[in-house]
Amino acid sequence: DGEFEHLTDGGIKITHTRSAREMFTKLRLDPRAMRSVAAPAECSRLKPYAGPNQHSALTEEERDEYDPRVSYDQAAKYQGAVGSLIYLTTRSRPELANPVRELSRFTATPRKSHWKALMHVLRWIANSMDKGIEFHPGKHAEMILRFWVDASFGDATIFNGSCTGFIGQFCGPWT
């Protein structure tokens, strides 16, 4: 699923470069052509009803005039991109958790401001494809990665199906 790299200090690095490239291919975007941007912190400023006066209730026409909705095709791309970003966030890019959470709030009816914020996040990813999660061992400890799995095949009496679960543990002091 992810790409693993062994680091010189005995640690490991987990990235999802291939998944990110597939996302750009689906969106028909060239990550090499995207300019570099700052970290996507600005997504936290997205508002569901962006307008000149945030305290007044805007009519649908006023909202559409101030911040128009994206086209149906662009909305489908937005939804697919947010889904891909959720995948990357939960696998190897935790720094994207807040921007992706904010973007996902608007998947039903994305507007131009939401599309702009999505493009900002995509530019960040395009220029930081090699980022991921790194685990480094402590000075006097060994890294230990353990997983436990349990499964019940068809004996779940409530919903009459199979159930599988797992838990992982990373042992050793953090540095």
Side-chain angles (χ1 to χ4, degrees), residues 32-125:
R32 295 167 295 178
M34 298 183 126
R35 63 179 170 78
S36 183
V37 293
E42 75 177 29
C43 295
S44 63
R45 292 192 297 252
L46 290 176
K47 302 283 186 242
Y49 304 112
N53 184 355
Q54 293 294 331
H55 302 291
S56 67
L58 298 175
T59 65
E60 199 65 33
E61 294 81 26
E62 289 172 329
R63 240 180 280 141
D64 286 339
E65 183 181 326
Y66 179 75
D67 190 11
R69 297 176 189 204
V70 298
S71 68
Y72 179 78
D73 292 338
Q74 209 171 15
K77 279 186 174 184
Y78 181 92
Q79 293 161 351
V82 169
S84 296
L85 289 173
I86 290 170
Y87 177 84
L88 285 176
T89 301
T90 58
R91 300 302 191 272
S92 63
R93 300 294 298 263
E95 84 276 11
L96 297 173
N98 192 48
V100 172
R101 178 186 56 81
E102 288 293 325
L103 291 171
S104 67
R105 292 174 54 203
F106 308 102
T107 54
T109 54
R111 296 182 176 275
K112 295 286 183 186
S113 61
H114 308 137
W115 181 262
K116 182 180 174 185
L118 171 68
M119 294 307 293
H120 185 97
V121 173
L122 292 176
R123 281 193 297 274
W124 168 258
I125 292 171

Side-chain angles (χ1 to χ4, degrees), residues 137-155:
K139 295 179 181 173
H140 305 290
E142 199 175 295
M143 273 194 348
I144 302 169
L145 189 59
R146 297 181 183 142
F147 278 91
W148 293 271
V149 179
D150 191 18
S152 63
F153 299 105
D155 66 348

